[in-house]
Each structure stands twice: as structure tokens, then as C-alpha cells.
Amino acid sequence: QLQLVESGGGLVQPGGSLRLSCAASAFILEHAAIGWFRQAPGKEREGVSCINSDRSGSGTNYADSVKGRFAISKDNAKNTVYLQMNGLKPEDTAVYYCAANWRLCTSRATDFGSWGQGTQVTVSS
């Protein structure tokens, strides 16, 4: 089993920013794509962003709903993937999860076999 640990969630006002972290390992980042997903009460789990493995070139993708506001990156020295979230909106409120996919990035949760515990993001005035 792979271990992924999310952190950085919290309560923020609309228009504010948060930076989420996904602690992984060098092996995971070398070989696995890391995706960010979110799930709000009463809604399906949604793919937010993904970054491919080091071996696959570390290319990124984003859901249309977050393009221009969110940015995914990785710091190999810290074995960590980040999700920088700017211009937050109430509809961004959800539990955010990071997950590992041993192939290439997709937006399908079922393609990801290892998951973190989740971190709550609440955007409210």
C-alpha cells in the first residue's frame, strides 16, 4: 500500500487562497501520477488537477472549473505535491484528496489506486 498524506485545508473567505500539500515519497513521484480530487456533500467525487510522474514528464491538467485559479506542482526535494488555490469560491468547498495512479493522469477516481485521508476546505463569508 502506498501512503499519501494531505494537509493545508481550512476556512477561508471567498477570493482567498490556500495551499494544499500531499506528502508522498521519491518512488511514488518518480513512477506515479498524482491527482487531486474533491467531494462536496451530496455531490460526486470530482477530479480537480493532476501531475504526471517524473518518468512521464510531469505534465499537468486541470478541470475547467479551476483553470486559471489553481496550480499543481511538485517539489522533489520534499517529496511533496502541492495544489495552490487562488480566487476561492464557495463552490470550491469540499474534502480534498490526493491519489496515485501508476499510469498517466486521468480525471477518473477509479483509475487511482492509493488515496490520502483528505483535508477539508471551506470557503465561506
Side-chain angles (χ1 to χ4, degrees):
Q1 295 286 339
L2 300 177
Q3 292 190 344
L4 303 170
V5 180
E6 302 96 331
S7 62
L11 175 63
V12 64
Q13 292 186 335
S17 297
L18 285 173
R19 186 197 199 194
L20 305 184
S21 298
C22 176
S25 70
F27 182 84
I28 291 170
L29 298 187
E30 181 179 1
H31 294 282
I34 302 296
W36 284 98
F37 294 81
R38 65 188 182 187
Q39 188 160 26
K43 299 189 69 175
E44 66 208 56
R45 190 160 46 181
E46 174 189 24
V48 176
S49 185
C50 190
I51 186 164
N52 277 304
S53 69
D54 295 346
R55 284 194 172 194
S56 296
S58 299
T60 60
N61 60 29
Y62 298 90
D64 288 343
S65 60
V66 307
K67 285 180 180 176
R69 299 189 297 121
F70 291 9
I72 192 169
S73 63
K74 69 173 97 175
D75 184 342
N76 289 94
K78 296 183 177 181
N79 296 327
T80 300
V81 173
Y82 300 102
L83 185 68
Q84 179 67 47
M85 305 187 296
N86 300 322
L88 284 162
K89 304 175 179 180
E91 53 262 44
D92 295 318
T93 296
V95 177
Y96 283 70
Y97 301 89
C98 65
N101 180 348
W102 290 102
R103 299 192 175 188
L104 296 177
C105 280
T106 75
S107 61
R108 293 178 173 269
T110 54
D111 292 337
F112 291 73
S114 299
W115 293 80
Q117 82 290 347
T119 185
Q120 176 72 48
V121 172
T122 302
V123 184
S124 177
S125 59

